[in-house]
Amino acid sequence: MENTKLKKQMSSRHITMLALGGAIGAGLFKGSGEAISIAGPSVLLAFAIGGIVLFIVMTGLGKLVLDGENQHGLSGLIRPYLGDHSADFIDWVYWSLWMINIIAEAVAAASFLQLWFPNIPAWIFVLILAVLTTLINLYSVRLFAETEYWLAFAKISVIIALILFGLYLVGQQMFGHGVFPTLQQMTNHGGFAPHGMKGIINSLLVVIYSYGGSELIAITVSEADDPKKAIPKAVKGVMGRIVSFYIIPLFLLLIIFPWNTLANSNVSPFVMVFEKMNIPFAADIVNFVIVLALFSSINSGVYAASRTLFFRLKDKKGAAKTFAVLNKHQVPQRSVFFCTSVLYLGVILSYFVGDELFGYLAGSLSYTVLVIWLMIVSAAFVLSLKKGTLFDKSLNLFALIALSLIFIGILMTNILGVTLLTALLYLIIFFSYRKPKEPFPLSDKA
């Protein structure tokens, strides 16, 4: 009998840190300046709104994990509530999200590495990242989990340093100028919302992109030691992470610097704080952390994509089933190779297209995150109708409405070409579904 059963090698420690790291990416270290330029100080509201919606999504995800048995990835969580077609759709959409994302982030990482090595072509860095990611994901899930653990630890350490430095600098300003004059920094240049409601809505595209990846912990359900304990535990801290990693740092940045200074700077807001504290090699430190954040996202993307492919094809017949055969480390080797091969495609694309490739690829990611969140909340809403309280029903209904409004807002502001290409991708996935002749198996028996 072929070996097609994953091994449970992820501890609660790994999943908790994976959830922590999932909410922290280059969107915070680099994209926060872009979000501030779009919305001004009112970007705090955008991150708060997005954080509340994410909290509801993740809470629903936790309830789906607790309610089911022997689930496999996102499709296994939503199938009992939304059916086989929706389960098939969410898996392939999620897989396509990570395929696009790992190329986009590999190209972005290469651009940051070129700041140190300007004479080395970007495609060489993409190739190095592709090889390294392949090796980590092939060896064992525990190596992947340990790698992500320490990458998340590094990212969190830098954020904590920023918060401590920020508190010190704000304290200095308050001591020298008073509390109210210091806080007025956020309203001195066009008010709290200089670009009005439109700015807040437009910045939500960056916010959703930044928060995307938190739902990754659902993919670990088949490889966690005790998923019904570990995943809900990781979910509970979502709102705390949003406040700690996004709201507090942005609030401090907007007090320390005028928002238009942050918006017009060519460097990360983190670099500006570190330089103000006279930290040597501030730009290099933050650049290194951004590269780590991007590598973490690529590494997680290969893991999520390979497991999604594994779950989709493990019960198929013929050539498709070969993607589900595990190696001696209990890793779906061919699924990993297939998913990392997309990175090698990124090597070719980055060679011909260059830095512009990131912009071409990143535009559709916010749509896909929103679609996945909508489907998770929809499944949680159906569950709440059957077993939940009035509060659960109201919470999920609020999230459905909020996500729909955010989707419309992004639809109105995104590039038309990106929207059309994303819609075409969704249509292909939706209409390629073939109803299984036999009921989809719910157990994990090999």
Side-chain angles (χ1 to χ4, degrees):
M1 184 177 290
E2 286 182 310
N3 182 15
T4 58
K5 188 174 182 179
L6 295 175
K7 189 175 181 181
K8 295 182 179 294
Q9 299 184 72
M10 281 199 191
S11 66
S12 179
R13 170 178 73 94
H14 292 134
I15 293 172
T16 299
M17 196 59 88
L18 192 63
L20 285 168
I24 310 168
L28 171 61
F29 296 108
K30 185 69 176 176
S32 52
E34 181 185 349
I36 290 169
S37 70
I38 296 170
S42 63
V43 73
L44 291 170
L45 286 179
F47 274 100
I49 292 167
I52 291 168
V53 173
L54 175 61
F55 173 72
I56 299 170
V57 172
M58 296 298 286
T59 300
L61 191 65
K63 291 183 183 296
L64 294 173
V65 169
L66 289 173
D67 187 66
E69 293 292 337
N70 300 313
Q71 306 105 321
H72 303 301
L74 288 172
S75 61
L77 292 174
I78 74 163
R79 178 175 288 105
Y81 314 101
L82 302 183
D84 286 345
H85 198 164
S86 294
D88 178 86
F89 183 78
I90 196 172
D91 266 356
W92 287 119
V93 166
Y94 198 58
W95 182 80
S96 69
L97 176 146
W98 284 112
M99 290 295 92
I100 295 169
N101 191 66
I102 62 176
I103 296 177
E105 305 237 312
V107 172
S111 70
F112 284 108
L113 287 167
Q114 281 186 308
L115 295 176
W116 291 321
F117 308 102
N119 296 323
I120 297 179
W123 68 267
I124 291 180
F125 290 120
V126 177
L127 179 61
I128 293 169
L129 290 168
V131 172
L132 191 57
T133 307
T134 303
L135 293 175
I136 289 172
N137 276 272
L138 278 180
Y139 187 73
S140 74
V141 69
R142 185 166 290 275
L143 177 62
F144 160 77
E146 283 293 335
T147 303
E148 284 302 300
Y149 180 91
W150 291 109
L151 288 172
F153 182 83
K155 292 185 285 186
I156 292 165
S157 298
V158 172
I159 295 171
I160 291 171
L162 174 83
I163 291 172
L164 293 175
F165 294 155
L167 288 171
Y168 172 78
L169 292 171
V170 169
Q172 270 192 331
Q173 288 186 17
M174 287 184 174
F175 183 77
H177 305 289
V179 175
F180 290 110
T182 300
L183 294 176
Q184 278 181 329
Q185 178 82 281
M186 289 198 293
T187 58
N188 280 344
H189 304 275
F192 183 72
H195 300 142
M197 186 57 69
K198 183 180 178 182
I200 297 173
I201 293 171
N202 289 352
S203 69
L204 283 169
L205 191 147
V206 179
V207 170
I208 298 300
Y209 175 77
S210 299
Y211 286 164
S214 300
E215 70 293 325
L216 170 65
I217 60 171
I219 306 298
T220 68
V221 70
S222 294
E223 294 174 281
D225 291 337
D226 187 358
K228 289 188 181 295
K229 178 182 178 183
I231 293 178
K233 180 182 177 182
V235 165
K236 286 179 181 176
V238 168
M239 205 61 216
R241 292 194 294 275
I242 296 306
V243 173
S244 302
F245 300 155
Y246 284 92
I247 307 296
I248 292 176
L250 285 173
F251 177 70
L252 293 172
L253 285 168
L254 289 164
I255 293 176
I256 297 167
F257 302 101
W259 74 266
N260 50 355
T261 301
L262 294 168
N264 296 324
S265 175
N266 292 323
V267 299
S268 165
F270 279 64
V271 173
M272 296 172 68
V273 171
F274 281 35
E275 287 179 341
K276 199 173 179 71
M277 288 293 296
N278 297 316
I279 303 295
F281 308 109
D284 290 325
I285 293 170
V286 176
N287 193 53
F288 178 68
V289 174
I290 291 173
V291 171
L292 287 184
L294 288 164
F295 177 67
S296 171
S297 180
I298 297 163
N299 201 33
S300 296
V302 170
Y303 170 80
S306 63
R307 292 327 186 261
T308 300
L309 195 62
F310 170 80
F311 293 132
R312 288 263 34 104
L313 302 178
K314 69 190 285 289
D315 296 297
K316 300 289 185 182
K317 295 179 180 179
K321 190 177 177 63
T322 62
F323 284 94
V325 177
L326 307 181
N327 64 14
K328 64 180 181 180
H329 301 296
Q330 304 296 110
V331 170
Q333 179 173 295
R334 290 172 186 173
S335 289
V336 169
F337 272 129
F338 185 80
C339 294
T340 53
S341 69
V342 175
L343 271 174
Y344 299 104
L345 174 63
V347 172
I348 298 169
L349 290 173
S350 64
Y351 177 79
F352 288 106
V353 182
D355 294 340
E356 294 180 2
L357 179 61
F358 181 82
Y360 296 151
L361 295 172
S364 70
L365 293 175
S366 295
Y367 281 134
T368 309
V369 172
L370 278 171
V371 167
I372 290 163
W373 287 7
L374 274 165
M375 295 185 75
I376 292 171
V377 173
S378 297
F381 181 63
V382 173
L383 174 61
S384 70
L385 291 176
K386 295 178 179 178
K387 300 181 179 180
T389 64
L390 179 62
F391 179 74
D392 289 334
K393 296 171 190 174
S394 303
L395 209 60
N396 287 312
L397 185 60
F398 167 78
L400 283 171
I401 295 169
L403 284 169
S404 299
L405 291 174
I406 293 170
F407 191 92
I408 292 169
I410 292 177
L411 188 67
M412 295 171 64
T413 57
N414 213 342
I415 300 168
L416 180 60
V418 169
T419 300
L420 292 175
L421 285 173
T422 307
L424 178 62
L425 174 65
Y426 293 169
L427 288 171
I428 292 170
I429 292 171
F430 185 82
F431 287 110
S432 65
Y433 172 73
R434 295 291 180 269
K435 188 175 181 179
K437 295 179 181 179
E438 300 176 6
F440 200 96
L442 295 177
S443 70
D444 194 23
K445 294 177 182 178

